[in-house]
């Protein structure tokens, strides 16, 4: 998606504003006013800066509706839970009700089918629309039936990223299926992760999986591709390779290959064939990883070149390096943002490998510790995010439940890949990332090349650039996963008290990633054996634990009183107890904070009282 290919939506294509709209206020002001009323009734209280950023989002959509937006991609990167999606709901509702915008169509692109269903439910909850106002265009007939049966006649069209990507670079203005009243839809919104082109990582093992089909088409073609696989697997990591032009050499176009595969061949192999034919005749990068073997790395145009102007709603936009490259190319403009503070978030980090291979090798040990942590607060609700079941038999949700030994605890599970775009767990103050999500080096390079428009024939990707992409994607997954729990909520510019537990090897700098993704959060060690408390530290924590059972939330007890209760001289209490390395961790687990004057702390204050 080249910057020169971005084209503006003409103002003449949109209905002009009528006097009635000016009299009752602009679309953006009406939208923000309606949201303030709804948020106030629901106890949601964004900060003033957050309201300004939400207003900027609404104004951008209004400019698209009025045909005055510049031909750019606009990124709103407010953190999860601030109100980006709610702003979209309110704006769409007000646009549909505006006579001045009766001819303005809306296109909303979502990541997965489940997100489409959730979006429709959320939009209806915000305020009902006429049944003919919304159409759904997906691969699921049941979902499509929830909207107008003729998409071109519905003012709002909800579809998936994949539907747009199937256009393979064809212009949106030429696609009647996405039009409204014979014109391209002026208001365009892309929810979550956006790439201007599709990253291509084609593994040699996957290419080998095409050989059986290719032998039925042309044995010489099969032999040529087999030779290509052998050549690539003989190259060192970070090489370049010129892929033979199979289509030109053998006169066999991709449609013939796809037809020969038939209906029973998995979609992933058909996609691999399409990628291989795309790479034919190109110079690509070759990456060799211990886990993934050899892979050809490139990218391919997939989205319409005239998608702009378009609004991207991605909370990870402030941490992902991919958007920096798009901004540097002039493709993207960042909308006003606002910093959310995470001072009430405590992250407990276990310095242990949490990737798929670690769970495959040590799944029982890891799952046992996750269960132990849940049982430290059995009276509180938990959310646990786990890897998908391992093909070799590792079902990590099942293993954790087994180690819980049918204890009466409220624990919900999500799997990586389904850890975004759900608000079902925002009341859970405890969240565990039972593992973390990583890609291979080939995938990070493909992402970098796709956003920088950098072919292998142009230049290699530096180790520093790859590290920035990897860190950005790590922060993206941490932000999205942890914000499924109560940390997602806004209390002014902050979040409610939340405890998070993350399994992650220190060599990936999780501590740095957490500090940047969650400004103000405290990162503590997660000790799998539990805190080992001895001496006066153990006595002090035991005393405070008993007090937490009988005092009211907010109650205070002076340091001097605790020192006397455990038989210790007050003058030694600070050095031998309060400054001990594990004492502050134990206080965190009890929900106790130190309070006092500006110059020094004087007392403990209880916030998670357990009662008798």
């Amino acid at each position: 998606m080249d910057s020169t290919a971005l084209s503006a939506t003409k103002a003449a294509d949109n209905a002009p504003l009528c006097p009635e709209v000016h009299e009752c206020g602009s679309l953006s002001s009406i939208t923000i006013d309606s949201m303030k009323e709804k948020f106030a009734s629901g106890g949601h209280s964004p900060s003033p800066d957050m309201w300004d950023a939400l207003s900027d989002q609404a104004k951008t959509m209004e400019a698209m509706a009025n045909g005055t937006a510049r031909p750019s991609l606009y990124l709103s990167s407010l953190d999860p839970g601030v109100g980006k999606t709610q702003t979209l709901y309110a704006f769409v509702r007000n646009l549909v009700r505006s006579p001045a915008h009766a001819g303005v169509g809306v296109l909303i692109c979502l990541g997965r089918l489940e997100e489409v269903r959730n979006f429709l439910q959320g939009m209806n909850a915000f305020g009902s629309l006429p049944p003919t106002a919304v159409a759904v265009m997906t691969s699921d007939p049941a979902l499509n039936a929830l909207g107008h049966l003729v998409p071109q006649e519905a003012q709002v069209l909800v579809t998936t990223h994949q539907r747009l990507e199937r256009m393979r670079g064809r212009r949106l203005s030429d696609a009647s299926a996405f039009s409204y009243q014979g014109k391209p839809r002026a208001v365009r919104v892309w929810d979550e992760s956006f790439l201007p082109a599709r990253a291509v990582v084609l593994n040699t093992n996957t290419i080998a999986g095409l050989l059986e089909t290719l032998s039925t088409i042309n044995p010489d073609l099969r032999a040529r591709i087999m030779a290509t696989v052998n050549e690539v697997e003989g190259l060192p990591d970070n090489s370049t390779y010129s892929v033979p032009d199979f289509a030109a050499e053998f006169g066999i176009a991709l449609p013939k290959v796809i037809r020969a595969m038939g209906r029973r061949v998995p979609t992933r192999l058909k996609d691999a064939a399409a990628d291989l034919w795309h790479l034919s005749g190109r110079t690509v990068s070759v990456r060799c990883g211990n886990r993934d073997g050899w892979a050809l790395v490139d990218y391919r145009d997939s989205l319409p070149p005239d998608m702009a102007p378009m609004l991207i709603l991605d909370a990870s936009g402030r941490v992902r390096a991919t958007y920096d490259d798009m901004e540097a190319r002039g493709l993207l403009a960042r909308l006003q943002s606002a910093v959310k503070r995470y001072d009430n978030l405590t992250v407990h980090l276990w310095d242990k490998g949490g990737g798929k291979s670690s769970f495959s090798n040590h799944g029982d040990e890891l799952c046992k510790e996750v269960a132990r942590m849940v049982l430290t607060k059995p009276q509180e609700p938990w959310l646990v995010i786990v890897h998908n079941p391992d093909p070799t038999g590792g079902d990590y949700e099942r293993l954790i439940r087994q180690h819980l030994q049918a204890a009466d605890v409220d624990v919900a599970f999500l799997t990586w890949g389904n850890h975004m775009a759900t608000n079902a767990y925002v009341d859970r103050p405890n969240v565990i990332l039972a593992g973390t999500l990583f890609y291979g080096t080939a995938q990070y390079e493909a992402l970098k090349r796709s956003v920088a428009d950098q072919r292998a024939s142009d230049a290699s990707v530096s180790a520093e650039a790859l590290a920035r992409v990897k860190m950005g994607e790590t922060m993206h997954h941490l932000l999205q996963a942890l914000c499924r729990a109560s940390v997602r909520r806004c209390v002014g510019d902050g979040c409610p008290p939340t405890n998070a537990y993350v399994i992650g090897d220190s060599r990936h700098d999780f501590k740095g990633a957490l500090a940047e993704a969650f400004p103000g959060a405290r990162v503590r060690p997660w000790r799998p054996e539990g805190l080992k408390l001895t001496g006066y530290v153990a006595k002090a924590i035991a005393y405070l634990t008993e007090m937490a059972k009988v005092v009211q939330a907010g109650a205070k007890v002076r340091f001097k009183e605790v020192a006397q209760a455990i038989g210790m001289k007050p003058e030694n209490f600070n050095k031998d107890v309060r400054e001990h390395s594990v004492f502050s961790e134990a206080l965190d687990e009890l929900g106790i904070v130190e309070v006092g004057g500006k110059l020094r702390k004087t007392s403990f204050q209880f916030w998670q009282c357990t009662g008798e």
Side-chain angles (χ1 to χ4, degrees):
M1 189 174 179
D2 297 330
S3 56
T4 55
L6 296 174
S7 63
T9 302
K10 297 179 180 178
D13 289 339
N14 299 294
L17 285 172
C18 70
E20 289 90 339
V21 174
H22 290 294
E23 291 172 5
C24 63
S26 65
L27 273 177
S28 57
S29 63
I30 296 171
T31 293
I32 296 301
D33 287 345
S34 64
M35 287 179 58
K36 286 182 176 180
E37 182 179 349
K38 184 174 182 64
F39 282 0
S41 65
H44 184 54
S45 55
S47 69
D49 285 346
M50 290 173 181
W51 277 118
D52 288 344
L54 293 173
S55 179
D56 199 19
Q57 175 189 331
K59 289 176 181 177
T60 300
M61 291 187 286
E62 182 176 27
M64 287 191 282
N66 294 340
T68 59
R70 292 184 296 107
S72 181
L73 303 174
Y74 298 90
L75 173 64
S76 176
S77 58
L78 285 167
D79 280 28
V82 173
K84 298 186 301 299
T85 302
Q86 297 290 320
T87 302
L88 176 58
Y89 292 157
F91 181 85
V92 168
R93 181 171 177 266
N94 289 311
L95 182 141
V96 170
R97 296 171 64 186
S98 169
H101 298 86
V104 177
V106 180
L107 177 63
I108 299 171
C109 306
L110 304 172
R112 297 180 296 117
L113 295 178
E114 188 58 32
E115 291 172 29
V116 172
R117 188 181 304 278
N118 292 340
F119 185 88
L120 294 174
Q121 292 173 348
M123 192 157 57
N124 288 332
F126 200 94
S128 60
L129 293 174
T132 58
V134 181
V136 181
M137 186 188 296
T138 70
S139 60
D140 186 342
L143 271 181
N144 298 345
L146 297 176
H148 196 299
L149 297 181
V150 182
Q152 296 88 338
E153 296 179 3
Q155 191 169 2
V156 182
L157 177 61
V158 182
T159 188
T160 59
H161 298 169
Q162 291 81 357
R163 282 276 164 166
L164 271 295
E165 290 166 351
R166 286 180 186 174
M167 294 188 68
R168 298 287 192 265
R170 290 182 290 117
R171 296 180 66 82
L172 191 63
S173 57
D174 296 332
S176 60
F178 294 101
S179 67
Y180 175 60
Q181 295 185 355
K183 298 181 296 186
R185 295 173 184 271
V187 180
R188 302 164 189 172
V189 182
W190 184 283
D191 193 47
E192 300 295 349
S193 305
F194 177 84
L195 292 173
R198 187 170 71 81
V200 174
V201 177
L202 188 55
N203 191 277
T204 52
N205 289 332
T206 304
I207 298 174
L210 303 172
L211 296 178
E212 182 177 356
T213 296
L214 297 173
S215 66
T216 65
I217 301 175
N218 186 319
D220 293 334
L221 172 61
R222 179 194 182 281
R224 186 77 167 99
I225 291 179
M226 186 64 196
T228 295
V229 169
N230 291 333
E231 289 174 12
V232 170
E233 293 186 349
L235 295 173
D237 182 41
N238 206 16
S239 302
T240 58
Y241 178 74
S242 296
V243 181
D245 192 337
F246 302 115
E249 188 174 338
F250 293 93
I252 298 175
L254 177 62
K256 184 175 181 179
V257 178
I258 300 298
R259 286 195 300 272
M261 288 182 162
R263 296 182 177 180
R264 294 185 178 181
V265 174
T267 301
R268 65 178 183 81
L269 284 181
K270 293 180 180 178
D271 290 341
D275 285 340
L276 182 59
W277 253 246
H278 165 74
L279 298 179
S280 295
R282 294 178 178 270
T283 298
V284 301
S285 176
V286 176
R287 281 293 184 176
C288 174
N290 293 331
R291 183 184 66 185
D292 302 320
W294 285 263
L296 306 180
V297 178
D298 198 46
Y299 58 97
R300 58 185 300 189
D301 293 334
S302 56
L303 292 173
D306 58 343
M307 286 288 287
M310 183 175 73
L311 172 65
I312 301 168
L313 304 178
D314 188 356
S316 299
R318 70 174 174 85
V319 297
R320 301 179 87 173
T322 50
Y323 289 110
D324 294 337
D325 279 301
M326 285 185 262
E327 187 177 17
R329 288 173 58 193
L331 294 181
L332 180 138
R334 292 180 183 269
L335 298 184
Q336 183 173 336
S337 191
V339 175
K340 181 175 178 180
R341 296 290 304 177
Y342 292 91
D343 302 77
N344 285 329
L345 170 65
T346 301
V347 183
H348 307 262
L349 181 60
W350 184 6
D351 185 5
K352 178 93 173 169
K356 292 181 180 178
S357 59
S358 293
F359 266 78
S360 180
N361 295 327
H362 310 288
D364 189 66
E365 171 195 350
L366 295 167
C367 290
K368 182 178 181 179
E369 172 59 18
V370 170
R372 185 195 71 81
M373 186 55 68
V374 170
L375 292 174
T376 61
K377 290 185 279 187
Q379 75 282 2
E380 297 183 19
W382 290 77
L383 172 64
V384 180
I385 300 178
V386 298
H387 290 296
N388 283 294
D390 191 302
T392 61
D395 186 332
Y396 306 116
E397 177 181 344
R398 180 181 58 81
L399 281 172
I400 292 169
R401 290 192 183 279
Q402 285 179 350
H403 286 298
L404 288 173
Q405 298 179 345
D408 185 17
V409 291
D410 181 4
V411 56
F413 287 86
L414 279 175
T415 56
W416 287 105
N418 295 312
H419 66 288
M420 297 193 294
T422 177
N423 302 330
Y425 308 102
V426 293
D427 293 323
R428 294 177 180 261
N430 303 290
V431 54
I432 297 178
L433 304 191
T436 40
L437 199 58
F438 290 105
Y439 306 131
T441 300
Q443 185 66 34
Y444 293 124
E445 178 171 331
L447 287 173
K448 171 65 178 179
R449 291 189 179 280
S450 70
V451 294
D453 194 20
Q454 182 179 325
R455 300 288 180 184
S457 56
D458 298 331
S460 62
V461 176
S462 68
E464 293 77 14
L466 280 180
R468 285 194 296 272
V469 173
K470 179 180 178 180
M471 176 60 76
E473 296 306 294
T474 298
M475 290 190 288
H476 156 60
H477 290 304
L478 289 170
L479 183 66
Q480 294 291 341
L482 293 187
C483 285
R484 295 313 105 202
S486 62
V487 71
R488 179 182 184 86
R489 291 191 179 279
C490 282
V491 181
D493 66 350
C495 67
T498 307
N499 278 285
Y501 304 81
V502 178
I503 303 174
D505 197 315
S506 58
R507 63 191 175 93
H508 297 298
D509 192 19
F510 272 97
K511 192 170 184 179
L514 287 163
E516 186 170 346
F518 300 96
R522 294 171 293 175
V523 180
R524 307 289 193 198
W526 171 356
R527 304 176 189 275
E529 71 281 1
L531 288 175
K532 300 299 184 182
L533 305 177
T534 58
Y536 285 117
V537 171
K539 291 180 180 180
I541 292 299
Y543 178 77
L544 291 170
T545 300
E546 291 303 312
M547 285 203 68
K549 297 178 181 179
V550 297
V551 300
Q552 297 290 326
K556 300 177 184 178
V557 57
R558 295 182 65 83
F559 298 156
K560 181 179 180 179
E561 178 183 336
V562 178
Q564 292 174 341
I566 63 175
M568 189 177 191
K569 293 182 178 180
E571 57 266 29
N572 296 330
F573 185 70
N574 286 348
K575 180 180 179 181
D576 294 341
V577 175
R578 289 184 57 231
E579 296 177 8
H580 196 283
S581 59
V582 298
F583 185 70
S584 61
E585 294 177 50
L587 289 182
D588 284 339
E589 292 185 2
L590 289 173
I592 297 173
V593 296
E594 294 186 349
V595 296
K598 293 183 178 180
L599 298 179
R600 65 188 183 93
K601 307 298 184 186
T602 60
S603 306
F604 298 111
Q605 189 168 26
F606 297 81
W607 289 111
Q608 293 181 10
C609 304
T610 58
E612 286 289 357

